[in-house]
Amino acid sequence: QVQLVESGGGLVQSGESLRLSCAPSKSIFRYAAMSWYRQAPGNERELVAGISSGGTTTYADSVKGRFTISRDSSVNTVYLQMNSLKPEDTATYYCKMDWGRTAYWGQGTQVTVSS
């Protein structure tokens, strides 16, 4: 069973930054596509950013230019650097790993941005 351990959420003010981390429990990380999703109360879960095993990235339009996804295979960790945070970024952020036909999800970490 693969577990994804997320960290880095918290309460910040508008304009500040946070960095989320996600570390899978197994070394298949380097072969897996990784992504971050978020879900705000009353909303559907949405893709924020993704990165392939080869490093190709994709972003939601709402976060382009503010968020950066990256991965470090030496420590089996994927990061989401979030800059210029806005109140509308408030949500629970989830890490996802796609390995073969299976998707693994983290437990979520709360990000709250006050105005």
Side-chain angles (χ1 to χ4, degrees), residues 5-8 19-23 36 77-80 95:
V5 180
E6 299 151 336
S7 61
R19 188 177 78 160
L20 306 182
S21 300
C22 172
W36 289 95
T77 301
V78 62
Y79 304 99
L80 184 66
C95 176

Coordinates of all heavy atoms in Angstrom, one line a residue, residues 5-8 19-23 36 77-80 95:
V5 N 2.5 11.3 2.2 CA 2.5 12.2 3.4 C 2.7 13.6 2.9 O 3.7 14.0 2.4 CB 3.7 11.7 4.3 CG1 3.7 12.6 5.5 CG2 3.5 10.3 4.7
E6 N 1.7 14.5 3.2 CA 1.7 15.9 2.9 C 2.0 16.7 4.1 O 1.7 16.4 5.2 CB 0.3 16.3 2.3 CG -0.1 15.5 1.1 CD -1.6 15.4 1.0 OE1 -2.3 15.5 2.0 OE2 -2.1 15.3 -0.1
S7 N 2.6 17.9 3.8 CA 2.9 18.8 4.8 C 3.0 20.2 4.2 O 3.1 20.4 3.0 CB 4.2 18.5 5.6 OG 5.3 18.5 4.7
G8 N 3.0 21.2 5.1 CA 3.2 22.6 4.6 C 2.0 23.5 4.6 O 2.2 24.7 4.3
R19 N 4.8 26.6 1.0 CA 5.3 25.5 0.1 C 4.8 24.2 0.7 O 5.0 23.9 1.9 CB 6.8 25.5 0.1 CG 7.3 24.4 -0.9 CD 8.8 24.4 -1.0 NE 9.5 23.7 0.1 CZ 10.7 23.2 0.0 NH1 11.4 23.3 -1.1 NH2 11.2 22.6 1.1
L20 N 4.1 23.5 -0.1 CA 3.5 22.2 0.2 C 4.5 21.1 -0.2 O 5.2 21.3 -1.3 CB 2.2 21.9 -0.4 CG 1.1 23.0 -0.2 CD1 -0.2 22.6 -0.8 CD2 0.9 23.3 1.3
S21 N 4.6 20.1 0.6 CA 5.4 18.9 0.2 C 4.6 17.6 0.3 O 3.7 17.5 1.1 CB 6.6 18.8 1.2 OG 7.4 20.0 1.2
C22 N 5.0 16.7 -0.5 CA 4.3 15.4 -0.6 C 5.4 14.3 -0.8 O 6.1 14.4 -1.8 CB 3.3 15.4 -1.7 SG 2.5 13.7 -1.9
A23 N 5.5 13.3 0.1 CA 6.5 12.3 0.0 C 5.8 10.9 -0.1 O 5.2 10.5 1.0 CB 7.4 12.4 1.1
W36 N -1.1 18.0 -7.8 CA -1.8 18.6 -6.6 C -3.2 19.0 -7.1 O -3.4 19.6 -8.1 CB -1.0 19.9 -6.1 CG 0.2 19.6 -5.4 CD1 1.5 19.6 -6.0 CD2 0.4 19.3 -4.1 NE1 2.4 19.2 -5.0 CE2 1.8 19.0 -3.8 CE3 -0.5 19.1 -3.0 CZ2 2.3 18.7 -2.6 CZ3 0.0 18.8 -1.7 CH2 1.4 18.6 -1.5
T77 N 10.2 13.5 -3.3 CA 9.3 14.5 -2.8 C 8.9 15.4 -4.0 O 9.7 15.7 -4.8 CB 9.9 15.4 -1.7 OG1 10.3 14.5 -0.6 CG2 8.9 16.4 -1.2
V78 N 7.6 15.7 -4.0 CA 7.1 16.7 -4.9 C 6.6 17.9 -4.1 O 6.1 17.8 -3.0 CB 5.9 16.2 -5.7 CG1 4.7 15.8 -4.8 CG2 5.4 17.1 -6.8
Y79 N 6.9 19.1 -4.7 CA 6.6 20.4 -4.0 C 5.6 21.2 -4.8 O 5.5 21.1 -6.0 CB 7.9 21.2 -3.8 CG 9.0 20.5 -3.1 CD1 10.0 19.8 -3.8 CD2 9.0 20.4 -1.7 CE1 11.1 19.2 -3.1 CE2 10.0 19.7 -1.0 CZ 11.1 19.1 -1.8 OH 12.1 18.5 -1.1
L80 N 4.9 22.0 -4.0 CA 4.1 23.1 -4.7 C 4.4 24.4 -4.0 O 4.0 24.6 -2.8 CB 2.6 22.7 -4.5 CG 1.6 23.7 -5.3 CD1 1.8 23.6 -6.8 CD2 0.2 23.5 -4.9
C95 N -2.4 15.8 -2.5 CA -1.3 15.3 -3.4 C -1.9 14.0 -4.1 O -2.6 13.2 -3.4 CB -0.1 15.0 -2.6 SG 1.3 14.2 -3.5

